[in-house]
Amino acid sequence: MNGTGINIKKSPSIKSALLVLSIMWPALSVAEQLPVYKLAGPKIDQARATGILASLGNNKLASETKFEENAKVFIQRAGAKEIETYKASGGFFLRDAKQLWNPELKPTLPTRNMAKALADKFLADNKLLPSSDPYTKVSFAEFTETGVAADRPGKINKKIIDVQANYKVDMVVTDQKGQALLVPVVGGGGNFKVALGDQGAVIGYQGVWRPIAGVASVEEILTRTEAEAKFKSMAGNIMVTKIESFLAYYSAPAFEEQRLLTPVWVVKAETQLGDRKMPLRNTIIAATKYGPTWPEVAAKTRAKDEKPQPPLFKTDEKRSWIDLLISPAHAEINEAGTSWIGPSQGLGGSPANAQGFVDGLAAAGWGINFNWGEWAAFESDWNSDDDSWVDAADFVFYTGHANSDGWTLNNPNDTSLHYSEVGATPGSPNDHYGQQDLEWMIIAACGPHQSSHFVGGIGNAFDRWRGIFDGLHVFLGYGAVTYDNTTEGSRVVELALAGWPIIDAWFRTAWEIQPSSNGYSAPDGPTVYVTAMYAHDGSHNTRNDHIWGTGTTVPDPRNPGQQRYLMWSGT
């Protein structure tokens, strides 16, 4: 014992009596204490990374390994196979670029039992799971998948292109009664994914664990009652109809530096929006003085009649020839915008999440048409006035609350962009979106792509959203309840500017930040899926679209023969 009522060591007898604790943490007294852990610094081992890369080819690389480096990662490539080592954490991202998230493939996939056996071997051979210590327990979490489907009204016809084995870390603590409890880890770190493709080949891996160097301190924590009261205070502008919470430890995504592993409360809540329930993004509230903390970014004020500055050029046709003469960064013809709902509805991470999106593009020379948050995030920007706002930008990012039917905004209009407002089919009856300028749109929230392609209790996502494609290339989001965070916006921009296709950039971002499951039942869980719905005119496939100036981008898909696809991947 450490004199505080929390035993932080795990004896064999306690180990055998572990109680799995995901959500049902017993009521905590004000005096309850938990350890804050000190984390070891990152260990960068390029030789080890080479060995992991070689393991994809039976320890033989088919081509010469090439080395690159940028501000956040070391990169090794051998043909289409590549591994990135995160400088901030020592974690790895691994992929076969020809196979991971590739909808053109028709793989022969292993059974789930075989997939787990192959994933177990890959992880063990390369020592990619945390080493045994007194503080942690590593276990298999669940299976997920990547799938793709063409738009068939009312019908489900899908292809599965990989199977994924997911693993998790729980912290082992002992309560004041001597019971050993497993406290889940959230935040992006502590989750491990192995994606297996044709014939069981490993085609993707994501994982990080910062080794624990000891206990920094033992701290009094907020009680559940205090944490939920704090959330309700934050979300004072909405009616919370359901709330529950559980205790966890926060481990940051692999691309972030972290020195302490701290306890947090995860709050799950719902609100009522008309006759529909709206799940709120899971919110993380620090349980001790050690955080984590979210940057504070104030929402800008705006006048109802405020208009954005007109773009230098208005059409993609002018973009094509001007790019031959002058860089888009200097011509300022690339435009972005963001709308967000934040602390006013319980989301402390949203302001920084949205700010990271526009800051990243602004630094690359893009013009920022708008950054409207909270009460300034008008729904009218997305429907009645979209030609001046959302559809006047090339790339738009929303973060806030959503469900399968749409996402929340504020007056003017009815405070929710509903799928019925975009039209039942492309071009009819409304021109949302892409008739003006919009190519790519991200909805970083709890949806809106829940679909019977991968979850029960919901209809076909195409039947709700096919009308959104009036020239829009790619519509990115999720198909489940997700976690509030500060880094989706900046991370997806960082990857897109580095040359990743926009869909791959979004899928990787979600792999790095979101957990594989969320504790919700269908259709909002339990598996968390990142999603991409995209349109194309036959050969003009937007699946591999790059944002302007970083690679190929196809013309707007506006022809009568437009086709649409939905991709999803477990996070």
Side-chain angles (χ1 to χ4, degrees):
M1 301 293 290
N2 62 11
T4 66
I6 296 291
N7 187 341
I8 57 175
K9 293 187 177 181
K10 180 173 63 175
S11 69
S13 61
I14 290 176
K15 181 178 179 181
S16 64
L18 285 174
L19 302 176
V20 176
L21 177 69
S22 296
I23 299 174
M24 299 179 65
W25 182 275
L28 296 172
S29 68
V30 174
E32 188 70 70
Q33 296 175 315
L34 284 175
V36 171
Y37 298 100
K38 181 170 58 177
L39 300 177
K43 183 179 180 180
I44 308 301
D45 189 337
Q46 292 294 279
R48 182 174 174 225
T50 302
I52 296 170
L53 188 64
S55 72
L56 298 190
N58 296 318
N59 298 315
K60 292 182 180 179
L61 295 174
S63 57
E64 181 182 354
T65 303
K66 298 179 181 179
F67 295 84
E68 297 179 25
E69 179 183 357
N70 63 38
K72 289 194 174 182
V73 294
F74 293 101
I75 306 169
Q76 297 183 36
R77 292 190 177 95
K81 298 178 175 64
E82 59 187 52
I83 186 168
E84 298 189 19
T85 306
Y86 299 93
K87 295 180 179 180
S89 65
F92 299 105
F93 176 85
L94 175 72
R95 69 167 177 165
D96 183 325
K98 288 186 177 179
Q99 297 192 64
L100 186 63
W101 307 320
N102 183 351
E104 301 299 322
L105 300 180
K106 297 180 180 179
T108 299
L109 298 177
T111 65
R112 286 189 166 188
N113 286 341
M114 181 59 70
K116 184 177 182 301
L118 292 168
D120 286 346
K121 184 178 187 306
F122 170 76
L123 294 168
D125 289 349
N126 293 290
K127 298 180 173 59
L128 288 170
L129 292 178
S131 301
S132 177
D133 64 34
Y135 310 112
T136 58
K137 182 177 185 297
V138 183
S139 60
F140 177 77
E142 65 174 339
F143 293 104
T144 51
E145 67 185 25
T146 299
V148 63
D151 182 3
R152 300 290 185 267
K155 297 182 180 179
I156 299 300
N157 184 5
K158 64 183 180 180
K159 176 173 63 174
I160 306 303
I161 55 180
D162 71 32
V163 58
Q164 303 160 0
N166 297 275
Y167 301 76
K168 64 177 182 175
V169 177
D170 293 282
M171 302 305 299
V172 181
V173 299
T174 307
D175 69 11
Q176 292 175 336
K177 296 180 180 179
Q179 289 184 316
L181 303 169
L182 297 185
V183 182
V185 174
V186 300
N191 296 314
F192 302 84
K193 179 185 292 294
V194 180
L196 300 115
D198 190 44
Q199 306 297 326
V202 174
I203 61 172
Y205 165 81
Q206 162 66 34
V208 61
W209 183 250
R210 302 163 180 87
I212 293 174
V215 176
S217 66
V218 178
E219 297 292 326
E220 184 175 309
I221 65 171
L222 291 177
T223 65
R224 173 184 283 112
T225 300
E226 290 170 333
E228 291 181 359
K230 185 173 183 179
F231 172 81
K232 288 178 180 178
S233 176
M234 290 169 55
N237 293 322
I238 58 173
M239 179 177 65
V240 177
T241 56
K242 181 179 179 181
I243 186 170
E244 59 183 76
S245 57
F246 64 92
L247 198 63
Y249 274 85
Y250 178 80
S251 180
F255 52 81
E256 292 186 3
E257 184 179 5
Q258 186 176 10
R259 299 297 178 88
L260 296 173
L261 186 70
T262 60
V264 297
W265 284 100
V266 177
V267 179
K268 300 167 56 181
E270 289 181 354
T271 187
Q272 193 77 19
L273 190 66
D275 60 352
R276 306 185 307 278
K277 292 182 179 179
M278 174 78 74
L280 307 183
R281 280 197 122 176
N282 286 354
T283 299
I284 292 172
I285 293 179
T288 73
K289 64 184 179 183
Y290 287 99
T293 59
W294 307 141
E296 293 185 8
V297 180
K300 298 176 181 177
T301 58
R302 68 183 286 188
K304 283 192 175 183
D305 58 352
E306 189 167 347
K307 298 291 183 183
Q309 294 295 316
L312 181 60
F313 299 103
K314 291 181 180 288
T315 68
D316 292 343
E317 288 73 22
K318 289 187 177 180
R319 177 188 309 277
S320 62
W321 66 259
I322 198 66
D323 280 353
L324 299 175
L325 304 175
I326 187 169
S327 161
H330 292 94
E332 294 187 3
I333 57 174
N334 301 324
E335 298 159 311
T338 180
S339 299
W340 53 270
I341 301 296
S344 69
Q345 295 188 19
L347 297 177
S350 284
N353 200 0
Q355 191 68 48
F357 175 81
V358 292
D359 283 353
L361 290 173
W366 286 52
I368 305 305
N369 284 8
F370 61 97
N371 179 8
W372 297 131
E374 307 290 38
W375 299 110
F378 295 170
E379 187 198 345
S380 56
D381 295 344
W382 293 76
N383 48 41
S384 61
D385 217 10
D386 75 297
D387 287 352
S388 298
W389 294 102
V390 169
D391 211 2
D394 300 282
F395 196 1
V396 169
F397 180 85
Y398 167 88
T399 188
H401 297 304
N403 64 6
S404 57
D405 292 341
W407 48 97
T408 61
L409 291 153
N410 277 306
N411 289 318
N413 291 358
D414 59 12
T415 73
S416 173
L417 194 286
H418 191 264
Y419 68 83
S420 63
E421 296 174 274
V422 304
T425 59
S428 174
N430 303 310
D431 64 335
H432 306 318
Y433 300 100
Q435 194 77 358
Q436 296 294 114
D437 202 21
L438 186 63
E439 277 78 40
W440 312 285
M441 180 172 72
I442 295 175
I443 304 300
C446 299
H449 288 153
Q450 287 89 335
S451 184
S452 47
H453 291 89
F454 51 79
V455 69
I458 194 69
N460 183 335
F462 288 118
D463 291 340
R464 301 190 305 274
W465 294 110
R466 69 173 58 90
I468 208 166
F469 290 100
D470 296 325
L472 179 71
H473 293 208
V474 182
F475 174 21
L476 299 160
Y478 291 102
V481 170
T482 56
Y483 276 65
D484 182 32
N485 65 89
T486 62
T487 50
E488 284 162 323
S490 59
R491 184 59 174 159
V492 71
V493 165
E494 180 178 36
L495 292 168
L497 289 173
W500 282 63
I502 184 61
I503 291 177
D504 290 8
W506 179 238
F507 277 31
R508 178 174 174 179
T509 294
W511 270 29
E512 291 173 327
I513 294 172
Q514 296 293 338
S516 62
S517 60
N518 59 19
Y520 277 78
S521 59
D524 295 316
T527 301
V528 179
Y529 285 105
V530 58
T531 56
M533 193 176 283
Y534 54 98
H536 67 92
D537 294 332
S539 61
H540 296 305
N541 193 333
T542 55
R543 162 62 186 91
N544 296 313
D545 251 15
H546 296 71
I547 65 171
W548 300 119
T550 66
T552 58
T553 304
V554 302
D556 291 347
R558 291 179 180 155
N559 293 336
Q562 183 200 93
Q563 301 172 43
R564 293 160 298 278
Y565 284 86
L566 175 67
M567 277 187 66
W568 61 93
S569 184
T571 60

